[in-house]
Structure formats: C-alpha cells, structure tokens
Amino acid sequence: MQADDRFYVTGDHLSDEDYVNLTLLNYDEIAYERLSDPVLSRLALSSELYIATASLEELDRRKSPDATRVGVEVLRSRKADGHLKALAFNVVSERDPLAAIDAVKTSIEKDDPVLVSKVAQILVDHPQMVGEPAAQALAKSVLQSCYRLNTTQPDAIEEYLVSAVAGFVK
C-alpha cells in the first residue's frame, strides 16, 4: 500500500467517529507519521493492539513527551498484551526508569513470557537500575516469574537472563 493511500486525521482532536474509523482499519493502513501526538496517544491506549503498538512506537520515535505517560498507562492496563507492555516498558524505562519499574510491578506477576523476558533483558542491559530498592524488588519478582514460567514453559525465558537476574537479587 502506498503512503498516499493511508488514512489519517488532522488536528489534535479525534472525534469518536474518526476514532472508530481508525480502529477498524488494519494497522498498516494508517499514516501514523501524519497524526498528532494527542491522536497517537489515544490510539496507543486502544484495544486494537497492532494499532496501539504502532502508535506508541511513533510517539517513541518522535521522542514525544506523551510517550512516558502513555507507556505508564499501557503498563497498568488490563487490555494490553505482553508485546505492547514490553514495548511500553522499554519506552518508559529509557525516559523514567523508576516510573517504569513502578508501573510494571503488577504485570510481571501475570507471568507473560514476552514481558518477563523484556524486563529481564532491560535489567541485564542496565545493571545500574538494580541498585535502586524498587528495581531490586522488581528483579526478585522477575526471577520468581522466570522460575514459575520455567516449570510450565521450559524454554520461555533464556537461561542466561534467569542467571543474570538471579545475580542481581540479594
């Protein structure tokens, strides 16, 4: 599909009709780069997960100040899946690691292998985060989740991530 054929709306306000029209499209039929930050923010919180993911990615690509707020809302959302939450954790942790840690706590307990792997990977890639008491508690939760996942889905989490996170836990 050519970029000229993709759907977009102008302005910062998204009418309910335009919102419905956007969420009925396939995610690749939307010109995200032509949407305003407020419109992308609303779409990033939609229940259409491909559209939500692409919208949050665009906010992140733009380095929008809305990306952190929206990412925290995604992390606290019940309707977001592990892939979207993993993206949100990555986006928020780059800007405000403590907010990311606080927002992801309850999601980790749900043992989604995609999210647990992403959080473990970020903890391993940024060991300075683990010095914070909140990050230490998160590392413990991630490790417990890894152990639970390994009993039900033995290959769900890479062994090196489990070992590395275990090394952080005091």
Side-chain angles (χ1 to χ4, degrees), residues 45-97:
L45 298 171
S46 78
S47 59
E48 297 300 325
L49 298 177
Y50 288 111
I51 291 172
T53 300
S55 297
L56 184 55
E57 285 174 340
E58 180 63 21
L59 287 170
D60 182 41
R61 187 191 66 73
R62 293 179 186 181
K63 304 206 182 313
S64 169
D66 293 342
T68 301
R69 177 188 54 77
V70 171
V72 166
E73 288 184 52
V74 166
L75 287 169
R76 292 185 174 146
S77 170
R78 291 182 182 191
K79 62 185 172 188
D81 68 355
H83 294 280
L84 180 56
K85 286 187 178 198
L87 170 64
F89 186 78
N90 191 51
V91 168
V92 178
S93 68
E94 288 176 358
R95 294 163 172 79
D96 189 347

Side-chain angles (χ1 to χ4, degrees), residues 72 75-76 89 96-107 134-135 138:
V72 166
L75 287 169
R76 292 185 174 146
F89 186 78
D96 189 347
L98 292 178
I101 290 166
D102 184 56
V104 80
K105 285 187 294 194
T106 57
S107 295
L138 178 62

